[in-house]
Amino acid sequence: MAGYRGGFGGFGGGNQMQNLMKQAQKMQEEMQKAQAQLEETLVEGVSGGGLVKVSMTAKKVVKNVEINPDAVDTDDITMLEDLLIAALNDAYAKADKLCNEKMGAFGGLGL
């Protein structure tokens, strides 16, 4: 076999494979750190000019809901429900944006 250098299927030997494994491990560690940060980072969704506020983690776990008494009209509960939905959707959109910013560097891996 003229010109055969050995190695691992064209990868240039074990050293290069070892480097690839180290890079993969480092990327996995960074991805886990980013995931942990998302679990701790809070975003706030707001509707009705601040009448309803929803706080959740960037991983979309609702932590708090604040409803201003001015938003409560017992004759129009539908309005309050709509304000709550709008605040939740606002918080979800902010969580998605933050998640995409943090995790985008990993090309969608582990999402």
Side-chain angles (χ1 to χ4, degrees), residues 6 9 13-14 25 33 39-42 44-46 57 59 62 64 74-75 77 85 89 93 102 104-106 109 111:
Q25 184 177 6
K33 282 182 191 176
E39 289 175 6
E40 297 172 8
T41 303
L42 291 178
E44 182 177 77
V46 180
T57 68
K59 295 289 281 183
V62 176
N64 190 44
T74 56
D75 294 328
I77 295 299
I85 290 168
N89 287 334
K102 282 266 186 214
F106 301 106
L109 298 174
L111 298 178

Side-chain angles (χ1 to χ4, degrees), residues 18-34 106:
Q18 208 171 34
N19 287 339
L20 287 173
M21 294 301 289
K22 285 180 184 179
Q23 288 175 351
Q25 184 177 6
K26 182 180 178 186
M27 185 177 198
Q28 183 179 15
E29 290 170 2
E30 289 173 2
M31 194 166 63
Q32 288 172 342
K33 282 182 191 176
F106 301 106

Side-chain angles (χ1 to χ4, degrees), residues 35-65:
Q35 290 280 359
Q37 288 175 342
L38 291 172
E39 289 175 6
E40 297 172 8
T41 303
L42 291 178
V43 295
E44 182 177 77
V46 180
S47 69
L51 291 176
V52 176
K53 297 177 183 178
V54 174
S55 297
M56 68 174 59
T57 68
K59 295 289 281 183
K60 300 180 183 175
V61 175
V62 176
K63 295 293 189 175
N64 190 44
V65 175

